[in-house]
Amino acid sequence: MRVFSATLATETNTFAPMPTGLSSFQERGYYKAGQHPDHMSFFAGPLWAARLRGKAQGWTLLEGVVAAAQPSGITTCAAYETLRDELLADLKAALPVDMVLLGLHGAMVADGYDDCEGDVLQRVRAIVGPKVVVGAELDPHNHLSAAMVEHADVLVAFKEYPHTDILERALELVDLCQAKAEGRMQPVASVADTGGLVVMHTSREPARGFVDRIMALEGKDGILSISVSHGFPWGDVPDMGTQVLVYSDAQADPGAAKGQALARQLAGELTALRHALEVPMPGIDEALDQALAFDGGPVVLADGADNPGGGAPGDSTFILQRLLERGITSGCIGPLWDPVAARIAFDAGVGASLNLRIGGKIGPLSGVPLDLRVTVKALRPELMMTGLSNTPTAMGDSALVECNGVEILLCSLRNQAMGSDLFTNIGVDLAAKKIIVVKSSQHFYASFSMVAKKVIYVAAPGAVTVDLKTLPYKKIRRPKWPID
């Protein structure tokens, strides 16, 4: 069997200030055809799964471009079309193929393209024709569009948030596509829209129980796969919102009656659970009060509004400013994206004390720059941390500086906090901290929950604000809960 696999992925915050250009892909993860390294990268799950399955079965695997960028603002037209056309050229060079396996995100928006994934899948289908099996793995924070469903035979989204099941879902995708290619089943898609946005932290109930139950339904009574598209609230496109995608086998479910009924049922259950699924989010000072009042530590505070994984710069100073103003002397915060401050710290050297302007560089939602007297505690060229599903994640040249008992991790590559080794690899003793502030919405939880005695999600200002009613939507379908 001849199998083609490639990746083109980013999550677009259409309200974020920084455009996503070619350099954004090159610094996060860009590999030309056939050059992907010998480990899984975040959005190349299908390629890695095809390597695993294909080796045992003697497939001919033809690997195309792998390009993924840190979430940010709208992708430039030039960047999108350049990378899309490279992927399509790689596919044409690989023909003939029996299967196409793509690593996509599902919430990529480019200048002139509200539905990049639908555009890619439509063009792929035009190249390979109707008989070749086309499948894609998605992030659940996607905008599931009719074009995506129409032009793919199978779409499988991660079920876990944090996304700890990238490889498992990629293997599921590959196995379903293989079964389709070999004529062992005929997947038919059914989609149900909840009409709103439903938060699903699968690390806690009731989301945990819901996901466990949908996984138990798969493989029975003709139901092949169930994916929940959580939606990405910071993408102003018509398909934004929470949807349920069910694939049933046409051989066991003629007319997809079971699949359609199940999709509607699950969408209704999610709507009924929406209030129970909400996460309490106090403001900055209330969150700090709760942390200080907690007996023991460390207490992790999640600054999701400045989460680079949602398109925020990662340089906001709102929480750091209050830590210092309130005289809290046992804390750390990071990663704070400030390549300039990190470079100055490297020039100064470990042990140096200096005046350093930190953060607040991109715009009003980054807060004000803080002029601090700091001591350089540690320097790590090309600091690495463990990302989701054990994917290695580069932070660039990083510096640890300290001001009045608060350690600040400055990084040169914009990324969110995922593995707790982000801090420990540069010498931070997390167990000794009262408060740990992470720039992340939820992906931090898989690792930091093993360190934290308590976790608090903070409603701070930022480009990934939880107050969706403040965002100037123009394209989404209304009404949509909780915006309306």
Side-chain angles (χ1 to χ4, degrees):
M1 184 175 295
R2 290 175 61 85
V3 178
F4 175 80
S5 185
T7 292
L8 178 55
T10 190
E11 181 180 68
T12 302
N13 183 329
T14 59
F15 305 106
M18 300 183 298
T20 304
L22 278 173
S23 62
S24 301
F25 290 88
Q26 291 162 352
E27 88 175 5
R28 170 76 182 272
Y30 170 76
Y31 307 100
K32 286 186 172 295
Q35 294 183 8
H36 189 275
D38 191 24
H39 61 75
M40 188 177 75
S41 57
F42 189 76
F43 283 110
L47 184 150
W48 191 251
R51 284 186 185 180
L52 296 176
R53 290 289 193 256
K55 184 177 181 180
Q57 301 186 55
W59 295 351
T60 298
L61 178 58
L62 305 128
E63 299 183 2
V65 63
V66 171
Q70 185 65 247
S72 195
I74 292 175
T75 305
T76 65
C77 182
Y80 170 62
E81 291 183 346
T82 296
L83 295 171
R84 178 201 65 191
D85 293 349
E86 182 177 356
L87 185 155
L88 297 175
D90 291 343
L91 173 59
K92 290 176 182 177
L95 294 176
V97 296
D98 301 293
M99 288 197 301
V100 175
L101 304 170
L102 300 176
L104 304 175
H105 185 286
M108 182 179 185
V109 181
D111 188 11
Y113 298 88
D114 280 349
D115 179 15
C116 291
E117 289 81 4
D119 179 58
V120 168
L121 288 165
Q122 182 177 12
R123 292 171 187 271
V124 166
R125 180 60 73 192
I127 291 170
V128 301
K131 295 183 179 180
V132 172
V133 177
V134 176
E137 185 177 34
L138 304 174
D139 188 295
H141 299 109
N142 63 66
H143 311 304
L144 187 66
S145 70
M148 291 163 63
V149 175
E150 176 186 355
H151 297 295
D153 293 288
V154 182
L155 300 170
V156 174
F158 315 146
K159 285 184 170 63
E160 303 292 344
Y161 183 37
H163 304 330
T164 55
D165 62 334
I166 298 168
L167 180 57
E168 290 83 353
R169 300 288 76 76
L171 290 167
E172 175 188 336
L173 172 74
V174 172
D175 291 344
L176 289 171
C177 287
Q178 180 183 4
K180 158 74 173 171
E182 294 175 350
R184 291 185 278 115
M185 59 86 170
Q186 181 64 41
V188 179
S190 299
V191 179
D193 193 336
T194 66
L197 284 158
V198 181
V199 175
M200 287 189 66
H201 285 188
T202 60
S203 55
R204 61 181 58 82
E205 295 294 348
R208 178 72 266 149
F210 184 86
V211 170
D212 289 342
R213 192 160 62 80
I214 66 173
M215 292 179 71
L217 292 169
E218 294 174 319
K220 299 174 183 176
D221 298 323
I223 302 301
L224 301 171
S225 173
I226 304 171
S227 293
V228 178
S229 293
H230 300 194
F232 184 63
W234 302 277
D236 185 16
V237 297
D239 293 298
M240 190 273 279
T242 303
Q243 302 180 70
V244 177
L245 170 64
V246 174
Y247 284 100
S248 55
D249 186 352
Q251 299 171 4
D253 185 22
K258 291 181 182 177
Q260 292 171 9
L262 182 58
R264 290 193 295 268
Q265 175 191 329
L266 294 174
E269 290 179 12
L270 279 176
T271 300
L273 285 171
R274 63 191 184 186
H275 293 294
L277 289 164
E278 289 182 310
V279 179
M281 299 190 74
I284 295 174
D285 279 298
E286 184 182 349
L288 291 174
D289 289 343
Q290 290 181 18
L292 294 172
F294 181 76
D295 184 14
V299 178
V300 169
L301 273 57
D303 184 8
D306 194 35
N307 173 23
D315 74 333
S316 84
T317 57
F318 296 106
I319 297 181
L320 175 59
Q321 184 174 11
R322 292 302 294 146
L323 282 170
L324 297 171
E325 288 174 345
R326 293 182 55 160
I328 296 171
T329 57
S330 178
C332 62
I333 184 170
L336 198 150
W337 180 54
D338 195 331
V340 174
R343 169 64 185 273
I344 293 171
F346 267 80
D347 288 344
V350 174
S353 293
L354 68 156
N355 296 324
L356 190 62
R357 174 165 284 192
I358 290 175
K361 291 182 169 59
I362 298 302
L365 292 178
S366 295
V368 297
L370 300 182
D371 293 303
L372 306 177
R373 184 70 180 176
V374 304
T375 299
V376 180
K377 301 293 291 293
L379 302 169
R380 291 290 183 274
E382 296 300 323
L383 176 68
M384 300 294 293
M385 73 171 170
T386 303
L388 297 173
S389 294
N390 295 315
T391 53
T393 303
M395 304 303 300
D397 292 347
S398 300
L400 183 69
V401 300
E402 180 265 330
C403 178
N404 297 334
V406 176
E407 293 183 324
I408 307 161
L409 176 54
L410 306 169
C411 68
S412 298
L413 293 181
R414 193 170 60 91
N415 216 321
Q416 66 176 302
M418 288 185 281
S420 59
D421 57 352
L422 165 71
F423 288 104
T424 58
N425 284 348
I426 201 168
V428 178
D429 182 2
L430 292 176
K433 301 299 180 187
K434 177 64 177 179
I435 294 175
I436 302 168
V437 181
V438 293
K439 302 281 187 176
S440 178
S441 298
Q442 171 67 356
H443 287 329
F444 75 92
Y445 194 91
S447 178
F448 282 86
S449 63
M450 294 185 284
V451 178
K453 302 301 181 184
K454 182 179 178 63
V455 174
I456 301 172
Y457 298 84
V458 186
V464 192
T465 176
V466 294
D467 189 358
L468 302 181
K469 294 180 181 180
T470 65
L471 297 176
Y473 293 104
K474 295 179 181 179
K475 297 181 179 180
I476 64 171
R477 296 189 180 98
R478 311 288 286 260
K480 193 175 298 291
W481 183 90
I483 300 164
D484 300 301

